[in-house]
Short mmCIF file of all heavy atoms in Angstrom, two decimals:
data_model
loop_
_atom_site.label_atom_id
_atom_site.label_comp_id
_atom_site.label_asym_id
_atom_site.label_seq_id
_atom_site.Cartn_x
_atom_site.Cartn_y
_atom_site.Cartn_z
N LEU X 632 -38.50 64.57 -203.30
CA LEU X 632 -39.08 65.74 -202.68
C LEU X 632 -39.69 66.64 -203.74
O LEU X 632 -40.73 67.19 -203.52
CB LEU X 632 -37.97 66.43 -201.95
CG LEU X 632 -38.39 67.74 -201.11
CD1 LEU X 632 -39.40 67.32 -200.07
CD2 LEU X 632 -37.21 68.40 -200.51
N THR X 633 -39.01 66.73 -204.91
CA THR X 633 -39.58 67.61 -205.98
C THR X 633 -40.88 67.06 -206.52
O THR X 633 -41.81 67.78 -206.68
CB THR X 633 -38.54 67.74 -207.09
OG1 THR X 633 -37.33 68.23 -206.61
CG2 THR X 633 -39.06 68.61 -208.21
N ARG X 634 -40.91 65.73 -206.67
CA ARG X 634 -42.19 65.13 -207.15
C ARG X 634 -43.30 65.34 -206.17
O ARG X 634 -44.46 65.50 -206.58
CB ARG X 634 -41.93 63.64 -207.40
CG ARG X 634 -41.33 63.38 -208.73
CD ARG X 634 -41.31 61.91 -209.04
NE ARG X 634 -39.86 61.57 -209.28
CZ ARG X 634 -39.28 60.50 -208.80
NH1 ARG X 634 -39.93 59.54 -208.16
NH2 ARG X 634 -37.99 60.31 -209.06
N CYS X 635 -43.01 65.23 -204.92
CA CYS X 635 -43.97 65.47 -203.87
C CYS X 635 -44.57 66.89 -203.99
O CYS X 635 -45.76 67.11 -203.93
CB CYS X 635 -43.38 65.27 -202.44
SG CYS X 635 -44.52 65.62 -201.11
N HIS X 636 -43.69 67.88 -204.13
CA HIS X 636 -44.20 69.23 -204.24
C HIS X 636 -44.96 69.48 -205.50
O HIS X 636 -45.95 70.19 -205.54
CB HIS X 636 -43.01 70.21 -204.13
CG HIS X 636 -42.50 70.46 -202.79
ND1 HIS X 636 -43.18 71.16 -201.83
CD2 HIS X 636 -41.34 70.03 -202.14
CE1 HIS X 636 -42.54 71.25 -200.70
NE2 HIS X 636 -41.40 70.46 -200.86
N VAL X 637 -44.54 68.89 -206.62
CA VAL X 637 -45.30 69.03 -207.91
C VAL X 637 -46.66 68.36 -207.79
O VAL X 637 -47.67 68.91 -208.20
CB VAL X 637 -44.45 68.44 -209.02
CG1 VAL X 637 -45.29 68.39 -210.35
CG2 VAL X 637 -43.21 69.29 -209.31
N ARG X 638 -46.69 67.19 -207.20
CA ARG X 638 -47.97 66.51 -206.98
C ARG X 638 -48.88 67.33 -206.12
O ARG X 638 -50.06 67.46 -206.41
CB ARG X 638 -47.69 65.15 -206.40
CG ARG X 638 -48.95 64.23 -206.36
CD ARG X 638 -48.67 62.88 -205.87
NE ARG X 638 -47.28 62.49 -205.98
CZ ARG X 638 -46.54 61.96 -205.01
NH1 ARG X 638 -47.08 61.73 -203.83
NH2 ARG X 638 -45.31 61.63 -205.16
N GLN X 639 -48.35 67.84 -205.00
CA GLN X 639 -49.17 68.65 -204.13
C GLN X 639 -49.68 69.94 -204.83
O GLN X 639 -50.81 70.35 -204.68
CB GLN X 639 -48.37 69.03 -202.90
CG GLN X 639 -48.12 67.90 -201.95
CD GLN X 639 -49.30 67.61 -201.13
OE1 GLN X 639 -50.03 68.47 -200.69
NE2 GLN X 639 -49.51 66.37 -200.95
N ALA X 640 -48.86 70.58 -205.66
CA ALA X 640 -49.22 71.77 -206.31
C ALA X 640 -50.25 71.53 -207.33
O ALA X 640 -51.23 72.30 -207.48
CB ALA X 640 -48.04 72.43 -206.99
N PHE X 641 -50.20 70.37 -208.05
CA PHE X 641 -51.16 70.06 -209.03
C PHE X 641 -52.54 69.73 -208.36
O PHE X 641 -53.61 70.18 -208.81
CB PHE X 641 -50.69 68.82 -209.84
CG PHE X 641 -51.66 68.41 -210.97
CD1 PHE X 641 -51.76 69.21 -212.10
CD2 PHE X 641 -52.42 67.28 -210.85
CE1 PHE X 641 -52.60 68.89 -213.14
CE2 PHE X 641 -53.34 66.96 -211.91
CZ PHE X 641 -53.38 67.74 -212.95
N ALA X 642 -52.48 68.95 -207.29
CA ALA X 642 -53.79 68.70 -206.54
C ALA X 642 -54.34 69.95 -205.96
O ALA X 642 -55.56 70.15 -206.04
CB ALA X 642 -53.46 67.70 -205.43
N ALA X 643 -53.57 70.84 -205.44
CA ALA X 643 -54.04 72.10 -204.93
C ALA X 643 -54.62 72.96 -206.00
O ALA X 643 -55.59 73.68 -205.78
CB ALA X 643 -52.92 72.85 -204.17
N SER X 644 -54.10 72.95 -207.16
CA SER X 644 -54.56 73.74 -208.32
C SER X 644 -55.94 73.24 -208.76
O SER X 644 -56.86 74.02 -209.01
CB SER X 644 -53.63 73.63 -209.47
OG SER X 644 -52.40 74.18 -209.20
N LEU X 645 -56.12 71.88 -208.74
CA LEU X 645 -57.44 71.33 -209.11
C LEU X 645 -58.47 71.68 -208.08
O LEU X 645 -59.60 72.06 -208.39
CB LEU X 645 -57.33 69.86 -209.28
CG LEU X 645 -56.52 69.40 -210.51
CD1 LEU X 645 -56.45 67.84 -210.49
CD2 LEU X 645 -57.09 69.87 -211.75
N MET X 646 -58.10 71.56 -206.79
CA MET X 646 -59.02 71.94 -205.75
C MET X 646 -59.36 73.40 -205.74
O MET X 646 -60.49 73.80 -205.55
CB MET X 646 -58.47 71.50 -204.36
CG MET X 646 -59.36 71.71 -203.23
SD MET X 646 -60.91 70.73 -203.33
CE MET X 646 -60.26 69.15 -202.99
N ALA X 647 -58.29 74.23 -205.98
CA ALA X 647 -58.59 75.64 -206.04
C ALA X 647 -59.57 76.03 -207.22
O ALA X 647 -60.42 76.84 -207.05
CB ALA X 647 -57.25 76.41 -206.21
N ALA X 648 -59.39 75.37 -208.31
CA ALA X 648 -60.29 75.62 -209.48
C ALA X 648 -61.72 75.31 -209.11
O ALA X 648 -62.66 75.97 -209.40
CB ALA X 648 -59.81 74.85 -210.68
N LEU X 649 -61.82 74.12 -208.43
CA LEU X 649 -63.19 73.69 -207.99
C LEU X 649 -63.80 74.69 -207.01
O LEU X 649 -64.93 75.08 -207.13
CB LEU X 649 -63.12 72.29 -207.39
CG LEU X 649 -64.47 71.74 -206.86
CD1 LEU X 649 -65.36 71.45 -208.07
CD2 LEU X 649 -64.18 70.43 -206.15
N LEU X 650 -62.97 75.07 -206.02
CA LEU X 650 -63.44 75.99 -205.01
C LEU X 650 -63.75 77.45 -205.58
O LEU X 650 -64.71 78.08 -205.08
CB LEU X 650 -62.42 76.12 -203.88
CG LEU X 650 -62.30 74.90 -202.95
CD1 LEU X 650 -61.12 75.10 -202.01
CD2 LEU X 650 -63.57 74.67 -202.24
N LEU X 651 -62.95 77.90 -206.50
CA LEU X 651 -63.15 79.23 -207.01
C LEU X 651 -64.05 79.37 -208.16
O LEU X 651 -64.45 80.44 -208.57
CB LEU X 651 -61.73 79.86 -207.34
CG LEU X 651 -60.82 80.11 -206.21
CD1 LEU X 651 -59.47 80.59 -206.72
CD2 LEU X 651 -61.46 81.12 -205.20
N ALA X 652 -64.38 78.25 -208.76
CA ALA X 652 -65.35 78.28 -209.95
C ALA X 652 -66.68 77.57 -209.57
O ALA X 652 -67.80 78.04 -209.88
CB ALA X 652 -64.78 77.67 -211.15
N GLY X 653 -66.58 76.45 -208.96
CA GLY X 653 -67.79 75.59 -208.65
C GLY X 653 -68.66 76.14 -207.58
O GLY X 653 -69.87 76.26 -207.80
N VAL X 654 -68.12 76.56 -206.47
CA VAL X 654 -68.94 77.05 -205.38
C VAL X 654 -69.59 78.35 -205.70
O VAL X 654 -70.81 78.51 -205.52
CB VAL X 654 -68.09 77.13 -204.08
CG1 VAL X 654 -68.89 77.76 -202.96
CG2 VAL X 654 -67.60 75.75 -203.67
N PRO X 655 -68.89 79.35 -206.33
CA PRO X 655 -69.60 80.56 -206.73
C PRO X 655 -70.73 80.25 -207.74
O PRO X 655 -71.76 80.96 -207.75
CB PRO X 655 -68.57 81.43 -207.35
CG PRO X 655 -67.32 80.99 -206.63
CD PRO X 655 -67.49 79.57 -206.46
N ALA X 656 -70.55 79.28 -208.59
CA ALA X 656 -71.63 78.93 -209.56
C ALA X 656 -72.84 78.40 -208.82
O ALA X 656 -73.95 78.71 -209.15
CB ALA X 656 -71.08 77.87 -210.55
N LEU X 657 -72.58 77.62 -207.76
CA LEU X 657 -73.72 77.14 -206.97
C LEU X 657 -74.41 78.29 -206.23
O LEU X 657 -75.62 78.25 -206.12
CB LEU X 657 -73.20 76.06 -205.98
CG LEU X 657 -72.73 74.73 -206.60
CD1 LEU X 657 -72.16 73.79 -205.55
CD2 LEU X 657 -73.94 74.05 -207.31
N ILE X 658 -73.62 79.20 -205.74
CA ILE X 658 -74.20 80.35 -205.03
C ILE X 658 -75.00 81.15 -206.00
O ILE X 658 -76.15 81.60 -205.69
CB ILE X 658 -73.07 81.24 -204.36
CG1 ILE X 658 -72.40 80.50 -203.26
CG2 ILE X 658 -73.67 82.54 -203.88
CD1 ILE X 658 -71.20 81.18 -202.66
N ALA X 659 -74.55 81.32 -207.24
CA ALA X 659 -75.26 82.12 -208.20
C ALA X 659 -76.50 81.41 -208.66
O ALA X 659 -77.58 82.02 -208.90
CB ALA X 659 -74.37 82.37 -209.44
N LEU X 660 -76.47 80.09 -208.77
CA LEU X 660 -77.75 79.32 -209.13
C LEU X 660 -78.70 79.29 -208.00
O LEU X 660 -79.94 79.35 -208.24
CB LEU X 660 -77.32 77.91 -209.54
CG LEU X 660 -76.61 77.73 -210.80
CD1 LEU X 660 -76.11 76.25 -210.98
CD2 LEU X 660 -77.44 78.16 -212.00
N ALA X 661 -78.24 79.24 -206.81
CA ALA X 661 -79.17 79.20 -205.65
C ALA X 661 -79.76 80.56 -205.35
O ALA X 661 -80.88 80.67 -204.84
CB ALA X 661 -78.42 78.68 -204.42
N GLY X 662 -78.98 81.65 -205.60
CA GLY X 662 -79.51 82.98 -205.28
C GLY X 662 -80.01 83.66 -206.55
O GLY X 662 -79.87 83.22 -207.69
N ASP X 663 -80.64 84.84 -206.33
CA ASP X 663 -81.15 85.66 -207.43
C ASP X 663 -80.06 86.69 -207.74
O ASP X 663 -79.68 87.48 -206.88
CB ASP X 663 -82.41 86.28 -206.97
CG ASP X 663 -83.04 87.15 -208.07
OD1 ASP X 663 -82.63 87.02 -209.26
OD2 ASP X 663 -83.98 87.92 -207.79
N LEU X 664 -79.60 86.70 -208.97
CA LEU X 664 -78.47 87.62 -209.35
C LEU X 664 -78.96 89.06 -209.38
O LEU X 664 -78.12 89.95 -209.51
CB LEU X 664 -77.92 87.21 -210.66
CG LEU X 664 -77.09 85.90 -210.67
CD1 LEU X 664 -76.56 85.60 -212.02
CD2 LEU X 664 -75.98 85.99 -209.64
N ASP X 665 -80.23 89.29 -209.26
CA ASP X 665 -80.76 90.72 -209.18
C ASP X 665 -80.72 91.25 -207.76
O ASP X 665 -80.89 92.45 -207.54
CB ASP X 665 -82.13 90.80 -209.70
CG ASP X 665 -82.24 90.49 -211.20
OD1 ASP X 665 -81.22 90.77 -211.88
OD2 ASP X 665 -83.27 90.00 -211.66
N GLN X 666 -80.41 90.40 -206.80
CA GLN X 666 -80.40 90.79 -205.38
C GLN X 666 -78.96 91.15 -204.99
O GLN X 666 -78.04 90.39 -205.31
CB GLN X 666 -80.89 89.69 -204.50
CG GLN X 666 -82.39 89.30 -204.79
CD GLN X 666 -83.30 90.48 -204.40
OE1 GLN X 666 -83.03 91.19 -203.51
NE2 GLN X 666 -84.30 90.64 -205.29
N PRO X 667 -78.76 92.25 -204.26
CA PRO X 667 -77.44 92.65 -203.78
C PRO X 667 -76.78 91.58 -202.84
O PRO X 667 -75.59 91.43 -202.76
CB PRO X 667 -77.56 93.96 -203.12
CG PRO X 667 -78.97 94.43 -203.42
CD PRO X 667 -79.78 93.26 -203.96
N GLY X 668 -77.64 90.92 -202.02
CA GLY X 668 -77.13 89.98 -201.09
C GLY X 668 -76.43 88.78 -201.77
O GLY X 668 -75.45 88.34 -201.25
N THR X 669 -76.87 88.37 -202.89
CA THR X 669 -76.25 87.31 -203.65
C THR X 669 -74.83 87.72 -204.10
O THR X 669 -73.86 87.05 -203.99
CB THR X 669 -77.10 86.88 -204.85
OG1 THR X 669 -78.43 86.47 -204.38
CG2 THR X 669 -76.45 85.76 -205.63
N TRP X 670 -74.80 88.98 -204.63
CA TRP X 670 -73.49 89.49 -205.09
C TRP X 670 -72.54 89.70 -203.95
O TRP X 670 -71.34 89.43 -204.04
CB TRP X 670 -73.70 90.83 -205.88
CG TRP X 670 -74.25 90.59 -207.19
CD1 TRP X 670 -75.52 90.72 -207.63
CD2 TRP X 670 -73.54 90.04 -208.33
NE1 TRP X 670 -75.72 90.37 -208.92
CE2 TRP X 670 -74.46 89.92 -209.40
CE3 TRP X 670 -72.23 89.66 -208.59
CZ2 TRP X 670 -74.15 89.47 -210.64
CZ3 TRP X 670 -71.92 89.19 -209.80
CH2 TRP X 670 -72.81 89.09 -210.87
N MET X 671 -73.04 90.12 -202.77
CA MET X 671 -72.21 90.28 -201.60
C MET X 671 -71.66 88.95 -201.17
O MET X 671 -70.52 88.84 -200.81
CB MET X 671 -72.98 90.91 -200.48
CG MET X 671 -72.16 91.25 -199.29
SD MET X 671 -73.06 92.21 -197.96
CE MET X 671 -74.24 90.95 -197.54
N ALA X 672 -72.49 87.93 -201.18
CA ALA X 672 -72.05 86.60 -200.79
C ALA X 672 -71.04 86.10 -201.76
O ALA X 672 -69.97 85.49 -201.37
CB ALA X 672 -73.23 85.62 -200.71
N LEU X 673 -71.17 86.25 -203.01
CA LEU X 673 -70.19 85.86 -204.09
C LEU X 673 -68.86 86.53 -203.86
O LEU X 673 -67.80 85.93 -203.90
CB LEU X 673 -70.79 86.16 -205.48
CG LEU X 673 -71.80 85.18 -206.02
CD1 LEU X 673 -72.43 85.78 -207.27
CD2 LEU X 673 -71.16 83.84 -206.29
N LEU X 674 -68.89 87.84 -203.65
CA LEU X 674 -67.64 88.59 -203.57
C LEU X 674 -66.95 88.22 -202.25
O LEU X 674 -65.74 88.05 -202.24
CB LEU X 674 -67.93 90.13 -203.58
CG LEU X 674 -68.22 90.66 -204.91
CD1 LEU X 674 -68.64 92.11 -204.82
CD2 LEU X 674 -67.08 90.53 -205.86
N LEU X 675 -67.67 88.11 -201.12
CA LEU X 675 -67.06 87.68 -199.84
C LEU X 675 -66.44 86.34 -199.97
O LEU X 675 -65.31 86.13 -199.49
CB LEU X 675 -68.06 87.77 -198.75
CG LEU X 675 -68.31 89.17 -198.20
CD1 LEU X 675 -69.50 89.08 -197.21
CD2 LEU X 675 -67.13 89.76 -197.56
N TYR X 676 -67.16 85.37 -200.56
CA TYR X 676 -66.65 84.03 -200.71
C TYR X 676 -65.39 84.04 -201.53
O TYR X 676 -64.37 83.47 -201.16
CB TYR X 676 -67.69 83.10 -201.30
CG TYR X 676 -67.10 81.73 -201.60
CD1 TYR X 676 -66.95 80.84 -200.55
CD2 TYR X 676 -66.66 81.44 -202.88
CE1 TYR X 676 -66.32 79.57 -200.82
CE2 TYR X 676 -66.03 80.17 -203.11
CZ TYR X 676 -65.88 79.31 -202.09
OH TYR X 676 -65.26 78.09 -202.29
N PHE X 677 -65.46 84.68 -202.70
CA PHE X 677 -64.31 84.68 -203.64
C PHE X 677 -63.09 85.31 -202.96
O PHE X 677 -61.94 84.76 -203.05
CB PHE X 677 -64.61 85.37 -204.91
CG PHE X 677 -63.57 85.23 -205.92
CD1 PHE X 677 -63.49 84.11 -206.67
CD2 PHE X 677 -62.65 86.21 -206.14
CE1 PHE X 677 -62.45 83.93 -207.64
CE2 PHE X 677 -61.60 86.07 -207.06
CZ PHE X 677 -61.57 84.95 -207.81
N VAL X 678 -63.25 86.46 -202.38
CA VAL X 678 -62.08 87.16 -201.72
C VAL X 678 -61.50 86.38 -200.58
O VAL X 678 -60.30 86.18 -200.51
CB VAL X 678 -62.51 88.59 -201.26
CG1 VAL X 678 -61.47 89.21 -200.46
CG2 VAL X 678 -62.79 89.46 -202.52
N CYS X 679 -62.33 85.87 -199.69
CA CYS X 679 -61.85 85.10 -198.57
C CYS X 679 -61.21 83.81 -198.96
O CYS X 679 -60.09 83.40 -198.49
CB CYS X 679 -62.95 84.90 -197.56
SG CYS X 679 -63.53 86.35 -196.73
N CYS X 680 -61.82 83.05 -199.87
CA CYS X 680 -61.28 81.80 -200.32
C CYS X 680 -60.02 81.93 -201.11
O CYS X 680 -59.06 81.28 -200.90
CB CYS X 680 -62.36 81.07 -201.14
SG CYS X 680 -61.83 79.39 -201.63
N HIS X 681 -59.96 82.97 -201.98
CA HIS X 681 -58.76 83.24 -202.77
C HIS X 681 -57.64 83.57 -201.84
O HIS X 681 -56.48 83.13 -202.05
CB HIS X 681 -59.03 84.36 -203.77
CG HIS X 681 -57.92 84.50 -204.72
ND1 HIS X 681 -56.97 85.45 -204.61
CD2 HIS X 681 -57.63 83.82 -205.89
CE1 HIS X 681 -56.08 85.42 -205.63
NE2 HIS X 681 -56.46 84.38 -206.37
N ALA X 682 -57.85 84.45 -200.84
CA ALA X 682 -56.82 84.82 -199.91
C ALA X 682 -56.29 83.65 -199.13
O ALA X 682 -55.04 83.50 -198.95
CB ALA X 682 -57.35 85.89 -198.97
N ALA X 683 -57.15 82.83 -198.71
CA ALA X 683 -56.69 81.58 -197.97
C ALA X 683 -55.85 80.67 -198.87
O ALA X 683 -54.85 80.14 -198.47
CB ALA X 683 -57.87 80.87 -197.42
N LEU X 684 -56.26 80.47 -200.13
CA LEU X 684 -55.51 79.62 -201.05
C LEU X 684 -54.16 80.26 -201.43
O LEU X 684 -53.18 79.55 -201.51
CB LEU X 684 -56.35 79.40 -202.33
CG LEU X 684 -57.58 78.52 -202.14
CD1 LEU X 684 -58.43 78.58 -203.36
CD2 LEU X 684 -57.20 77.15 -201.74
N VAL X 685 -54.12 81.59 -201.57
CA VAL X 685 -52.79 82.28 -201.80
C VAL X 685 -51.87 82.06 -200.63
O VAL X 685 -50.67 81.78 -200.77
CB VAL X 685 -53.02 83.76 -202.11
CG1 VAL X 685 -51.71 84.52 -202.04
CG2 VAL X 685 -53.68 83.90 -203.46
N LEU X 686 -52.36 82.15 -199.42
CA LEU X 686 -51.52 82.05 -198.21
C LEU X 686 -50.96 80.59 -198.09
O LEU X 686 -49.85 80.38 -197.81
CB LEU X 686 -52.28 82.32 -196.94
CG LEU X 686 -52.56 83.87 -196.75
CD1 LEU X 686 -53.41 84.09 -195.51
CD2 LEU X 686 -51.27 84.58 -196.58
N LEU X 687 -51.83 79.64 -198.42
CA LEU X 687 -51.37 78.17 -198.42
C LEU X 687 -50.35 77.97 -199.53
O LEU X 687 -49.34 77.24 -199.30
CB LEU X 687 -52.57 77.23 -198.61
CG LEU X 687 -53.46 77.04 -197.39
CD1 LEU X 687 -54.62 76.20 -197.80
CD2 LEU X 687 -52.69 76.42 -196.28
N GLY X 688 -50.55 78.62 -200.69
CA GLY X 688 -49.55 78.47 -201.74
C GLY X 688 -48.22 79.07 -201.39
O GLY X 688 -47.15 78.52 -201.71
N VAL X 689 -48.22 80.26 -200.78
CA VAL X 689 -47.02 80.87 -200.33
C VAL X 689 -46.25 80.01 -199.28
O VAL X 689 -45.02 79.92 -199.35
CB VAL X 689 -47.26 82.35 -199.81
CG1 VAL X 689 -46.01 82.90 -199.10
CG2 VAL X 689 -47.67 83.21 -200.91
N LEU X 690 -47.03 79.49 -198.37
CA LEU X 690 -46.47 78.62 -197.39
C LEU X 690 -45.85 77.36 -197.98
O LEU X 690 -44.72 76.94 -197.73
CB LEU X 690 -47.52 78.13 -196.37
CG LEU X 690 -47.07 77.25 -195.27
CD1 LEU X 690 -45.92 77.92 -194.36
CD2 LEU X 690 -48.21 76.78 -194.40
N GLY X 691 -46.53 76.77 -199.01
CA GLY X 691 -45.95 75.62 -199.68
C GLY X 691 -44.75 75.97 -200.47
O GLY X 691 -43.78 75.26 -200.56
N LEU X 692 -44.73 77.16 -201.20
CA LEU X 692 -43.54 77.59 -201.84
C LEU X 692 -42.39 77.83 -200.96
O LEU X 692 -41.19 77.45 -201.30
CB LEU X 692 -43.89 78.89 -202.64
CG LEU X 692 -42.72 79.52 -203.44
CD1 LEU X 692 -42.27 78.57 -204.48
CD2 LEU X 692 -43.11 80.84 -203.98
N ALA X 693 -42.58 78.46 -199.81
CA ALA X 693 -41.50 78.65 -198.85
C ALA X 693 -40.88 77.35 -198.38
O ALA X 693 -39.68 77.21 -198.29
CB ALA X 693 -42.01 79.52 -197.69
N ARG X 694 -41.79 76.35 -198.10
CA ARG X 694 -41.28 75.07 -197.64
C ARG X 694 -40.52 74.38 -198.77
O ARG X 694 -39.49 73.71 -198.56
CB ARG X 694 -42.41 74.17 -197.24
CG ARG X 694 -43.24 74.67 -196.04
CD ARG X 694 -42.51 74.53 -194.74
NE ARG X 694 -42.30 73.08 -194.54
CZ ARG X 694 -42.02 72.56 -193.34
NH1 ARG X 694 -41.93 73.32 -192.32
NH2 ARG X 694 -41.83 71.27 -193.22
N ALA X 695 -40.97 74.57 -200.05
CA ALA X 695 -40.29 73.93 -201.15
C ALA X 695 -38.88 74.58 -201.41
O ALA X 695 -37.96 73.88 -201.66
CB ALA X 695 -41.10 74.03 -202.43
N LEU X 696 -38.82 75.88 -201.29
CA LEU X 696 -37.56 76.55 -201.47
C LEU X 696 -36.56 76.22 -200.33
O LEU X 696 -35.35 76.22 -200.54
CB LEU X 696 -37.73 78.02 -201.61
CG LEU X 696 -38.43 78.53 -202.84
CD1 LEU X 696 -38.73 80.02 -202.74
CD2 LEU X 696 -37.66 78.20 -204.08
N ALA X 697 -37.10 75.94 -199.16
CA ALA X 697 -36.27 75.55 -198.06
C ALA X 697 -35.84 74.06 -198.07
O ALA X 697 -35.02 73.59 -197.30
CB ALA X 697 -36.93 75.82 -196.68
N GLY X 698 -36.38 73.29 -199.03
CA GLY X 698 -36.05 71.92 -199.11
C GLY X 698 -36.76 71.05 -198.12
O GLY X 698 -36.31 69.96 -197.85
N LYS X 699 -37.83 71.54 -197.54
CA LYS X 699 -38.56 70.78 -196.55
C LYS X 699 -39.85 70.22 -197.16
O LYS X 699 -40.48 70.89 -198.00
CB LYS X 699 -38.92 71.67 -195.37
CG LYS X 699 -37.69 72.22 -194.62
CD LYS X 699 -38.11 73.09 -193.53
CE LYS X 699 -36.90 73.67 -192.83
NZ LYS X 699 -37.23 74.59 -191.76
N PRO X 700 -40.29 69.08 -196.73
CA PRO X 700 -41.58 68.56 -197.21
C PRO X 700 -42.73 69.33 -196.65
O PRO X 700 -42.64 69.93 -195.61
CB PRO X 700 -41.57 67.10 -196.69
CG PRO X 700 -40.68 67.11 -195.51
CD PRO X 700 -39.69 68.18 -195.81
N TYR X 701 -43.85 69.35 -197.40
CA TYR X 701 -45.04 70.06 -197.00
C TYR X 701 -46.23 69.31 -197.48
O TYR X 701 -46.25 68.85 -198.60
CB TYR X 701 -45.03 71.52 -197.57
CG TYR X 701 -46.27 72.27 -197.12
CD1 TYR X 701 -46.44 72.66 -195.83
CD2 TYR X 701 -47.25 72.53 -198.07
CE1 TYR X 701 -47.57 73.30 -195.46
CE2 TYR X 701 -48.37 73.23 -197.69
CZ TYR X 701 -48.52 73.62 -196.41
OH TYR X 701 -49.66 74.31 -196.02
N THR X 702 -47.22 69.18 -196.64
CA THR X 702 -48.46 68.52 -197.01
C THR X 702 -49.61 69.56 -196.78
O THR X 702 -49.75 70.08 -195.71
CB THR X 702 -48.69 67.30 -196.15
OG1 THR X 702 -47.64 66.45 -196.32
CG2 THR X 702 -49.99 66.62 -196.54
N TYR X 703 -50.30 69.85 -197.91
CA TYR X 703 -51.43 70.76 -197.78
C TYR X 703 -52.49 70.15 -196.89
O TYR X 703 -52.76 68.97 -196.95
CB TYR X 703 -52.04 71.06 -199.12
CG TYR X 703 -51.22 72.01 -199.99
CD1 TYR X 703 -50.47 71.47 -201.01
CD2 TYR X 703 -51.20 73.34 -199.75
CE1 TYR X 703 -49.67 72.33 -201.81
CE2 TYR X 703 -50.40 74.20 -200.47
CZ TYR X 703 -49.65 73.67 -201.55
OH TYR X 703 -48.93 74.50 -202.31
N PRO X 704 -53.18 70.98 -196.11
CA PRO X 704 -54.35 70.52 -195.35
C PRO X 704 -55.43 70.02 -196.30
O PRO X 704 -55.69 70.60 -197.34
CB PRO X 704 -54.80 71.72 -194.59
CG PRO X 704 -53.73 72.68 -194.64
CD PRO X 704 -52.89 72.40 -195.85
N LEU X 705 -56.04 68.95 -195.94
CA LEU X 705 -57.14 68.28 -196.66
C LEU X 705 -56.74 67.67 -197.95
O LEU X 705 -57.47 66.93 -198.56
CB LEU X 705 -58.32 69.25 -196.98
CG LEU X 705 -58.93 69.99 -195.76
CD1 LEU X 705 -59.98 70.96 -196.25
CD2 LEU X 705 -59.61 68.97 -194.83
N LEU X 706 -55.51 67.87 -198.44
CA LEU X 706 -55.02 67.31 -199.67
C LEU X 706 -53.84 66.41 -199.46
O LEU X 706 -53.25 65.94 -200.39
CB LEU X 706 -54.66 68.40 -200.70
CG LEU X 706 -55.77 69.25 -201.25
CD1 LEU X 706 -55.21 70.32 -202.13
CD2 LEU X 706 -56.76 68.42 -202.02
N GLY X 707 -53.45 66.30 -198.20
CA GLY X 707 -52.20 65.54 -197.87
C GLY X 707 -52.23 64.11 -198.28
O GLY X 707 -51.16 63.55 -198.62
N GLY X 708 -53.36 63.54 -198.34
CA GLY X 708 -53.43 62.09 -198.69
C GLY X 708 -53.60 61.86 -200.15
O GLY X 708 -53.85 60.74 -200.62
N TYR X 709 -53.53 62.94 -201.03
CA TYR X 709 -53.69 62.81 -202.44
C TYR X 709 -52.54 62.03 -203.05
O TYR X 709 -51.40 62.32 -202.80
CB TYR X 709 -53.80 64.15 -203.09
CG TYR X 709 -53.99 64.11 -204.59
CD1 TYR X 709 -55.22 63.88 -205.15
CD2 TYR X 709 -52.90 64.32 -205.43
CE1 TYR X 709 -55.40 63.80 -206.47
CE2 TYR X 709 -53.07 64.28 -206.80
CZ TYR X 709 -54.26 64.03 -207.30
OH TYR X 709 -54.44 63.97 -208.67
N ARG X 710 -52.90 60.97 -203.79
CA ARG X 710 -51.82 60.14 -204.47
C ARG X 710 -52.15 60.02 -205.86
O ARG X 710 -53.18 59.79 -206.31
CB ARG X 710 -51.76 58.74 -203.85
CG ARG X 710 -51.44 58.84 -202.35
CD ARG X 710 -49.88 58.62 -202.14
NE ARG X 710 -49.63 58.59 -200.70
CZ ARG X 710 -49.02 59.53 -200.07
NH1 ARG X 710 -48.64 60.64 -200.71
NH2 ARG X 710 -48.77 59.43 -198.84
#
């Protein structure tokens, strides 16, 4: 059970890094950084995505502390 939670946390960390660094980089490359709309899109994406990832992390931590298995959405099949 411990290995499962550690594996899930590692996979979620890698996915979070990709989501929080890669996607905003693509938004910045696609948009003009002199335009306020690009900055608004970057901030909205980062805040919403970070909040969702924190909530999933808290849920996974609660399940781990309760001794119950947990599989992250979209990462459950990671081996």
Side-chain angles (χ1 to χ4, degrees):
L632 184 62
T633 303
R634 278 187 239 141
C635 176
H636 282 288
V637 170
R638 189 176 339 128
Q639 289 282 321
F641 185 72
S644 300
L645 292 177
M646 185 61 74
L649 179 68
L650 288 173
L651 291 176
V654 175
L657 291 175
I658 292 172
L660 288 174
D663 183 14
L664 291 179
D665 292 333
Q666 298 296 321
T669 303
W670 285 102
M671 186 175 66
L673 283 168
L674 286 173
L675 281 173
Y676 173 79
F677 186 82
V678 169
C679 293
C680 186
H681 189 264
L684 292 170
V685 167
L686 288 175
L687 285 174
V689 169
L690 180 62
L692 177 63
R694 298 285 297 199
L696 292 175
K699 297 179 181 176
Y701 180 70
T702 302
Y703 285 104
L705 301 176
L706 294 176
Y709 179 79
R710 299 265 185 249

